[in-house]
Amino acid sequence: MKSIDTLIEQRFSPKHFADRAVSEEQLHQLFEAARRAPSSFNEQPWRFIYATQEHPEAYQKLLSCISEHNQQWAKSAPVLMLSLAKKHFSRNEKPNRHAWHDTGTAIGFLLLKATEMDLYAHQMAGFNPEKAREVLGIPNEYDPVAMMAVGYLGEEENPNKLRKPVNEIAFTGNSHGLL
Ligand SMILES: Cc1cc2nc3c(=O)[nH]c(=O)nc-3n(C[C@H](O)[C@H](O)[C@H](O)COP(=O)(O)O)c2cc1C
C-alpha cells in the first residue's frame, strides 16, 4: 500500500493518457473517496457529471464544453468529468459560501484515491460553464466548478512540481509575511 506521502508526491496532471479504459467500478471507487470529504454543515455540495469513451454521445457533450486548447490533450482521456457545487444549504436555503471550497476538498480526496489506483487526473478551468449548463441541462442551483480528464498515464512526462516554499504560504500568528 502506498503511503500518503507517496500519493502526494506521485500525483501530477498529465497531458497524455493511455488508450486503456477505466471501468465503472473504478469510477465508483473515486466517487466513494470524494463522498468521504468533510464539508460545512456536512452539506456535501459536490456533484459530478462524467462520461467514458464507451458512451461517445455523452463523452462528446462533455468534450464540447472544454476549450479548444485543452481539448487537444483532454480528448485522449477515457473519462471526462465536470464538478458542480450546490449553491445553497439544503437545511435552510441560505447561500453556502464554502460550496466551492468543499467541492475542491472532495476533488482532493478523489485525486489521491486515483493516484493510489495508478490513475491520473488533469483538472481544467478552461471550459465554458454557460455551455456546460446548456448542453448538460444543469439547474441554476448548481455552479459548474471545474472539468477533469481521468485515465492511465500515456507517454512519460516531466511533472511540473514547482511549488512555493512553506515560508511563503504559512505564517505564525500574523499576516506580516503576506505580500
Ligand atoms: C481548478 C484547476 C484548473 C486548472 N485548469 C487547467 C487548464 O484549463 N488547463 C491545463 O492545462 N491545466 C489546468 N490545471 C492544471 C494546473 O496547471 C496544474 O495542476 C498545476 O500546474 C500544478 O501541476 P500538477 O497538477 O502537475 O502538480 C488546472 C488545475 C486546477 C486545480
Side-chain angles (χ1 to χ4, degrees), residues 15 66-75 124 126:
K15 285 199 168 162
I66 295 174
S67 72
E68 276 178 33
H69 184 71
N70 283 331
Q71 275 190 27
Q72 283 170 21
W73 54 265
K75 67 184 178 195
M124 287 164 273

Side-chain angles (χ1 to χ4, degrees), residues 24 49-66 78-82 135-136 147:
E24 286 288 337
I49 297 176
Y50 71 95
T52 66
Q53 284 179 340
E54 275 87 65
H55 298 92
E57 202 178 316
Y59 185 93
Q60 284 304 322
K61 270 190 186 176
L62 280 168
L63 189 65
S64 74
C65 301
I66 295 174
V79 187
L80 295 176
M81 282 187 202
L82 169 65
V135 171
L136 302 167
M147 294 201 65

Side-chain angles (χ1 to χ4, degrees), residues 11-13 15 70 73 122-126 146 160-161 163:
R11 185 213 63 77
F12 77 101
S13 307
K15 285 199 168 162
N70 283 331
W73 54 265
H122 193 145
Q123 297 177 78
M124 287 164 273
N160 161 25
K161 286 292 178 193
R163 290 298 191 265

